[in-house]
Amino acid sequence: MKKIIFLITLFLSTLTYAQENVTYQKPTKEILELAEAPLAPNIRMDDQGENIVFLYRSNFKSIETLSEKEMRLGGLRINPKTNINSRQTYFNDIKVRLGRNSNETTINGLPNNGRYANFSWSPNQKMMAFTNTVNNGVELWILDIALKSAKKITQANLNANTGRPFSWFKDSKSLLIKTLLKNKKALIDTKTAVPTGPTISISEVGKKAQNRTYQDLLKNKTDEHNFEQLVLSELQKVDLNGKTSLWMKSDMYRSISFSPDGNYIMVTTIEKPFSYLVPYFRFPSKTNIYNTKANLITTALEVPLIEDLPKGFMAVRQGKRNLTWRDDKPATLVWAEALDAGDPEKEVDFRDQVFELKAPFVGNGKPLIKTIGRFYDVEWGNDNTAIAHDYWWNTRNTKSYVFNPSNNASKPIMIYDRNYQDRYSDPGAFVTKRNQFGRYTLDLVGDNAYLRGDGYSEKGKFPFIDEMNLKTKKTERLYQSKLTDKIEDISSAIDMNKGEILVRIESKNEYPNYYIRNIKKKIAPIPLTQFKNPFNSIQNVHKEVIKYKRDDGLELSGTLYLPTNYQEGKKYPMIMWAYPEEFKDKGSAGQNTKSSNEFTYPWYGSPIYWVTKGYVVLDDASFPIVGEGEEEPNDTFIKQLVSNAKAAIDAVDNLGYINREKVAVGGHSYGAFMTANLLSHSNLFAAGIARSGAYNRTLTPFGFQSEERNYWEAPEIYYNMSPFMHADTMKTPLLLIHGEADNNSGTYPLQSERYFNALKGLGAPVRLVMLPKESHGYRAKESVLHMLWEQDQWLEKHLKNDASTINKKESIKK
């Protein structure tokens, strides 16, 4: 298929096919004004809730920015000219507010047309470091909060190809930075490089490597050379005046982490051999511990190439993993080791064991706790109190244990053993506070800890703060939101002694804003921000969460919007947007976490725009896929999918709002996969929109989404769930949209191209839109506006134009 600047394949009403040379289009005025509405800033607040940094950015990138040179190597996407992630999100303005009652003010010293990223508070929270990307590289800048001024302290020589290129020293007076090599070897142009031989991969007998379909992998020796040159860095120490000194010679540095007391530095490097099967984070690695003078203390961990793991989502490698610092101690290493050889199919009493090792890191480590499931993390408190968490995906179970890290002979107390998909019983997350090391540890008062939760129930969402005695497991509710016409989210606890928490409050037509609430003084919350609603045209749209049941009695829900020009008694076309989710029990699957009080926010991928064009919209419709006990959810995927869709349409039709002969369904990624399947296996819809999906599961043979069985274990599942295999039954108009540079595992562009070719060859009404330079999500303004135009044209043609709409009843379905 010939590549052109913008490839759009059109199904014509005369049943002929052609390619169109179409320039980027814009949607109608109603949609355009919503899409271009300005974004509210992101905020970064210090731990006292006093000083705030406001970060402003544009809604979109430009197609020119996405067209800058990009190299895709080892799972990374790199701009080789600037040496930073080629898909980096940038902010273009910064403001500061000093104190809760002042106004945000501009920053002195910022460059024109800045592209800012990688923001990080200094340990004393008086400054913030960030990067600025210019045409030839990445600079390091420092923002002085009190002075409201910023200054550049390095040239454009930072290497941000593997993430944030700097870390603060504990004294807040200097930083450790990754810089480009002065003698870096030239990159090789892969298009003109002369091969020195074939690329050969081998597999040893009995050694299985059942990996997901990763993208952007290394392919040959040229890629290996370019990857190494782009990742190699020197470590330099730089002070706030820009004075630098070499801290460590060149290496492929992956991550840098200071110990809580700042006296030791954990440095992880990428090692060889590289792999053509897995991304860089599964290449061999070495983790060394140094002191602040760059003297090697010990090699804490050496990890071999990870190409082969036992089968299953809960499989892990053997040996030390999750190596990190203990947050409540000056310098203590913590890690986990598998007790089941990393194989989830082995029957054992305990899956993992957690160890610690104090400075100077000599010996094998002290065992702390064993976990029944796969270890997740530890929340540290003090010498006598810590909370460990594990999980087991196959049963959707999580457990939490209180244990004494100073006495490994003491028996842990299990405080939670629950289904993590059960939102109604979610006890919340433990509240933490910043300790003397600048790390976040449990906020403890004797044996008591605090929890902040979302408070979902059948009655709605009412966030809470609880106090829990970790020995008796008894809880006392200190605060619960009573707002019924708004939604309150508890963002964090500022000072539990004072009763101050940071909350975000919104309603369906009030933009989310931040407040300080005092749960002890029972006074009105103090506003911190006053962001205005930029979406005036839809602020009064009718919005409600509807609840309904599918044919097996399972409770479902969706957020229903009526057109802005709604007239009672009139029947409207409807757009339904959804994303399937797998569950292991019907109780969790039937829970509702939607609210009509949520702010109506039409982000780029949303269907809400079409309330301005005379459509009913059912957004976030429930599409649970349930497999209880020994049954896997996907064993009855198609049946449940169709049942979910029919129940949703029936529910809205029973309310009298829609013409059920004119309903479209749409989704992104797995939602696109859902859409294609619904059009193949039902006659419920007049049209479909599928963005960035996968349609042939034999191209992802070692699992997909939440399916961990491989193709050879469940060939009928892979076949039956693949819309590609049922292309001959699909006669409903389908709009396929895909980014040409999609890097999401399994949804490579070939999926849409091959599915389109199959549908085209069988005479189905289908249109394929390939968006140049776009990845799994779409970033360029030109792409997003054109996508909205395409969707609008498709819906107008197939839901409002009777002459062009194919009669669903004449469609051939299985």
Side-chain angles (χ1 to χ4, degrees), residues 113-124:
N113 303 315
R115 294 193 292 173
Y116 312 128
N118 295 303
F119 291 85
S120 176
W121 286 103
S122 62
N124 62 14

Side-chain angles (χ1 to χ4, degrees), residues 34-51:
L34 292 173
E36 294 185 325
L39 295 175
N42 286 8
I43 69 168
R44 307 291 173 88
M45 182 182 299
D46 67 16
D47 288 312
Q48 300 305 312
E50 295 292 336
N51 299 328

Side-chain angles (χ1 to χ4, degrees), residues 426-469:
D426 189 345
F430 283 96
V431 172
T432 61
K433 65 178 180 180
R434 198 163 181 262
N435 64 14
Q436 70 271 29
F437 302 119
R439 300 298 182 98
Y440 293 89
T441 53
L442 294 170
D443 192 347
L444 298 172
V445 180
D447 294 327
N448 292 342
Y450 301 101
L451 292 143
R452 58 181 178 90
D454 292 325
Y456 285 112
S457 70
E458 293 181 355
K459 297 180 180 180
K461 181 180 181 180
F462 301 95
F464 61 83
I465 296 284
D466 280 352
E467 186 175 35
M468 179 182 190
N469 185 292

Side-chain angles (χ1 to χ4, degrees), residues 386-422:
I387 299 175
H389 306 278
D390 70 18
Y391 75 109
W392 198 249
W393 177 87
N394 305 73
T395 57
R396 311 305 195 267
N397 177 264
T398 183
K399 297 178 177 65
S400 299
Y401 318 78
V402 175
F403 69 100
N404 185 339
S406 298
N407 182 6
N408 57 9
S410 64
K411 186 177 180 180
I413 299 173
M414 188 183 296
I415 53 175
Y416 296 122
D417 182 0
R418 54 181 299 274
N419 182 337
Y420 59 72
Q421 289 185 316
D422 182 357

Side-chain angles (χ1 to χ4, degrees), residues 107-319:
I107 303 298
N108 295 320
L110 288 175
N112 295 324
N113 303 315
R115 294 193 292 173
Y116 312 128
N118 295 303
F119 291 85
S120 176
W121 286 103
S122 62
N124 62 14
Q125 295 199 331
K126 293 182 179 180
M127 288 163 289
M128 183 173 281
F130 60 96
T131 59
N132 178 42
T133 301
V134 293
N135 291 334
N136 64 333
V138 178
E139 307 165 336
L140 180 61
W141 284 66
I142 299 295
L143 168 63
D144 187 306
I145 303 298
L147 297 179
K148 304 177 187 177
S149 65
K151 66 178 181 179
K152 181 177 71 173
I153 65 169
T154 74
Q155 299 302 311
N157 64 344
L158 269 62
N159 188 339
N161 289 330
T162 57
R164 180 182 292 167
F166 65 85
S167 297
W168 283 95
F169 277 88
K170 185 69 175 179
D171 61 6
S172 296
K173 296 179 180 179
S174 54
L175 301 96
L176 193 59
I177 60 175
K178 293 191 289 185
T179 61
L180 302 171
L181 304 186
K182 296 181 177 63
N183 58 347
K184 182 176 75 172
K185 296 179 182 178
L187 301 179
I188 300 174
D189 188 337
T190 55
K191 294 180 180 180
T192 61
V194 178
T196 59
T199 299
I200 299 173
S201 300
I202 63 172
S203 175
E204 298 177 5
V205 176
K207 194 172 184 179
K208 298 179 180 180
Q210 300 187 13
N211 295 304
R212 288 293 179 106
T213 47
Y214 295 113
Q215 299 194 58
D216 299 342
L217 301 178
L218 302 181
K219 299 179 180 65
N220 49 50
K221 290 295 182 181
T222 297
D223 281 356
E224 290 192 49
H225 168 86
N226 289 339
F227 175 84
E228 183 173 6
Q229 295 309 306
L230 288 167
V231 172
L232 280 170
S233 305
E234 290 181 343
L235 294 185
Q236 304 269 352
K237 184 177 181 179
V238 60
D239 66 22
L240 300 184
N241 294 317
K243 182 181 178 181
T244 62
S245 59
L246 179 66
W247 194 81
M248 189 167 291
K249 64 181 183 179
S250 66
D251 210 331
M252 292 184 286
Y253 297 107
R254 196 176 84 180
S255 63
I256 297 169
S257 173
F258 280 76
S259 62
D261 64 3
N263 292 329
Y264 298 93
I265 305 172
M266 184 191 304
V267 178
T268 300
T269 54
I270 300 167
E271 304 294 320
K272 295 181 179 180
F274 300 148
S275 171
Y276 298 175
L277 292 179
V278 294
Y280 80 98
F281 53 81
R282 288 176 64 172
F283 291 178
S285 64
K286 179 187 291 186
T287 300
N288 289 331
I289 308 296
Y290 301 90
N291 62 21
T292 55
K293 295 182 179 180
N295 296 319
L296 177 64
I297 304 301
T298 188
T299 296
L301 178 61
E302 291 185 85
V303 180
L305 175 64
I306 310 171
E307 284 187 342
D308 53 324
L309 286 172
K311 187 176 71 70
F313 290 161
M314 299 311 299
V316 295
R317 62 175 175 81
Q318 297 188 60

Side-chain angles (χ1 to χ4, degrees), residues 717-731:
I717 297 296
Y718 281 70
Y719 181 91
N720 291 333
M721 287 182 64
S722 294
F724 180 89
M725 304 303 180
H726 307 283
D728 58 327
T729 71
M730 218 293 287
K731 306 300 180 185

Side-chain angles (χ1 to χ4, degrees), residues 45 48-49 100 452 461-465 478-506 510 513-529:
M45 182 182 299
Q48 300 305 312
R100 298 178 182 178
R452 58 181 178 90
K461 181 180 181 180
F462 301 95
F464 61 83
I465 296 284
L478 303 181
Y479 171 76
Q480 185 157 26
S481 177
K482 297 181 179 179
L483 298 180
T484 57
D485 59 341
K486 299 180 181 182
I487 286 182
E488 178 176 10
D489 284 297
I490 301 174
S491 300
S492 63
I494 296 175
D495 190 331
M496 289 304 298
N497 288 330
K498 295 180 180 179
E500 289 187 340
I501 60 175
L502 177 68
V503 299
R504 192 180 76 161
I505 299 176
E506 63 187 278
E510 293 180 14
N513 276 285
Y514 291 91
Y515 300 78
I516 301 292
R517 180 182 289 280
N518 194 305
I519 64 174
K520 290 185 175 181
K521 293 186 177 180
K522 313 297 183 184
I523 58 177
I526 301 171
L528 290 179
T529 63

